[in-house]
Amino acid sequence: MASADAMIAAFTTLLVTVDPPGLAPLFLGLTVGMNKAQRRQVAVRGSVMGFAILTVFALFGATILGALGISMGAFRIAGGLMLFAIAFEMIFERRNERKEKTTDDAITKDHIHNLAVFPLAIPLIAGPGAISATVLIAGTMNDLMGKAQLIGVIAVVLGLVYLALSVAERLNRFLGVTGRALLTRLLGVLLAALSVQFVVDGVKSAFGA
């Protein structure tokens, strides 16, 4: 069973990497022309699929790494550096620009009914950052109870994603440009600190410190 501190760290890391408030304006852009019921359907499907993807990596991520001959220490270092890059983008407002470009490209290529799968579930909800964070956190939990707790944390985060998508229009108006920028930067600083901790833990694990 994981400690309360480990669960809080897991929740914070996943919440920051998934970024429910940041998904709200992108979701509005994806679902232009849809009515409320259609938007809700896309939000439900996208959130459920995002949960399924992250759960698979929580349960089998370490096995996949083992099959590829990648140690958890090495993955923690690589994942930490990747999360730090995402934190850098968040602090300097580059992440949303990249996500918006992904969204625009997808609208021109995919049918409207597939929006819940791509780009909403992948890569906007369960993106590389969230997948890496999930595998890293799962690697610190050795027993079945710890994995079950992590899946519970994933469910809570994806529940918040669904909530953010459901109230996307109101949330977007409430935060405004300034509010979104401030929130994104604050979360970015927090993620930077968490990513450095992943690297430190990875170095200790890899070199037996």
Side-chain angles (χ1 to χ4, degrees):
M1 180 179 292
S3 66
D5 288 344
M7 286 296 95
I8 292 171
F11 174 75
T12 304
T13 304
L14 285 174
L15 186 67
V16 172
T17 51
V18 175
D19 186 19
L23 289 173
L26 301 177
F27 178 71
L28 290 176
L30 278 172
T31 56
V32 169
M34 290 188 181
N35 59 37
K36 192 173 181 179
Q38 290 170 328
R39 277 182 172 166
R40 186 182 299 112
Q41 185 179 8
V42 173
V44 170
R45 291 183 63 194
S47 299
V48 169
M49 295 193 70
F51 170 76
I53 293 164
L54 294 182
T55 297
V56 167
F57 277 95
L59 293 174
F60 305 111
T63 303
I64 295 170
L65 292 179
L68 295 174
I70 301 171
S71 71
M72 185 54 66
F75 189 81
R76 282 175 185 162
I77 295 171
L81 293 174
M82 182 176 177
L83 293 178
F84 187 84
I86 292 173
F88 183 86
E89 289 182 340
M90 290 174 71
I91 293 169
F92 293 98
E93 282 198 324
R94 296 180 181 176
R95 193 183 188 205
N96 275 351
E97 291 176 9
R98 178 168 53 79
K99 279 189 170 184
E100 285 166 6
K101 185 177 184 303
T102 301
T103 300
D104 291 340
D105 289 346
I107 290 173
T108 61
K109 295 175 183 177
D110 281 50
H111 193 271
I112 194 74
H113 293 139
N114 294 326
L115 289 179
V117 182
F118 180 86
L120 186 56
I122 303 175
L124 295 181
I125 295 176
I131 290 172
S132 297
T134 300
V135 176
L136 287 170
I137 296 165
T140 66
M141 299 174 181
N142 300 318
D143 59 352
L144 190 60
M145 182 59 71
K147 295 288 177 66
Q149 289 175 307
L150 175 56
I151 292 172
V153 169
I154 294 171
V156 172
V157 172
L158 269 295
L160 292 175
V161 167
Y162 172 70
L163 181 63
L165 299 184
S166 298
V167 298
E169 196 166 345
R170 281 176 284 177
L171 183 62
N172 195 40
R173 284 201 306 265
F174 174 75
L175 288 176
V177 176
T178 303
R180 286 199 307 273
L182 177 62
L183 183 61
T184 298
R185 282 181 168 84
L186 287 174
L187 293 176
V189 171
L190 188 60
L191 181 60
L194 289 166
S195 66
V196 170
Q197 187 61 53
F198 279 129
V199 173
V200 170
D201 292 342
V203 170
K204 287 180 179 178
S205 174
F207 295 99

